[in-house]
């Protein structure tokens, strides 16, 4: 069984930092893209950052320059370093990974972790 488990999150004051991590485990053949999404109350889930198989990264304009995504292929891990946090960054953050498994290529989601930024 394949699963993504997220770590990190919590409550931080505006201007502070948090680091999220996500570990993929199970019968994984290989990992393609990995990324982070978030969903604020009353809003749709939005993509915020992604990293390809190599080191190519992309960011939503709302987090560019403040957030950094990275992956450790040896540990099947993707992380999100969040700096200069703002109250509008408050949301549930979800890890996403496109995985090659025995049955084919599938998208998986983590369970979500709450990030709350106080003003």
């Amino acid at each position: 069984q394949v699963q993504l488990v997220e770590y990190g999150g919590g409550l931080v004051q505006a201007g502070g930092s948090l680091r999220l991590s996500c570990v993929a485990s199970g019968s994984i053949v290989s990992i393609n893209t990995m990324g982070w999404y978030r969903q604020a109350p009353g809003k749709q889930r939005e993509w915020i950052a992604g990293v390809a198989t190599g080191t190519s990264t992309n960011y939503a304009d709302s987090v560019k320059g403040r957030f950094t995504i990275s992956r450790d292929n040896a540990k099947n891990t993707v992380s999100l370093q969040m700096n200069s946090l703002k109250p509008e960054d408050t949301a549930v953050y979800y890890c996403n990974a496109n995985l090659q498994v025995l049955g084919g290529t599938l998208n998986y989601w983590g369970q979500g972790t709450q990030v709350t930024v106080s003003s």
Side-chain angles (χ1 to χ4, degrees), residues 30-73:
S30 63
I31 301 177
N32 301 318
T33 58
M34 304 185 83
W36 290 92
Y37 290 69
R38 68 184 181 187
Q39 187 167 18
K43 295 188 177 181
Q44 290 187 334
R45 188 174 300 189
E46 63 171 347
W47 170 85
I48 56 172
V51 57
T53 306
T55 57
S56 176
T57 58
N58 287 284
Y59 300 92
D61 288 343
S62 58
V63 306
K64 195 174 296 183
R66 300 187 298 122
F67 291 10
T68 302
I69 189 171
S70 61
R71 64 187 285 173
D72 184 334
N73 293 325

Side-chain angles (χ1 to χ4, degrees), residues 1-5 22-31 34 76 95-111:
Q1 183 178 357
V2 175
Q3 61 175 350
L4 302 182
V5 178
C22 172
V23 181
S25 63
S27 301
I28 300 170
V29 175
S30 63
I31 301 177
M34 304 185 83
N76 288 351
C95 169
N96 175 270
N98 185 263
L99 305 177
Q100 183 70 40
V101 297
L102 294 178
T105 301
L106 296 172
N107 252 351
Y108 289 86
W109 292 91
Q111 80 281 6

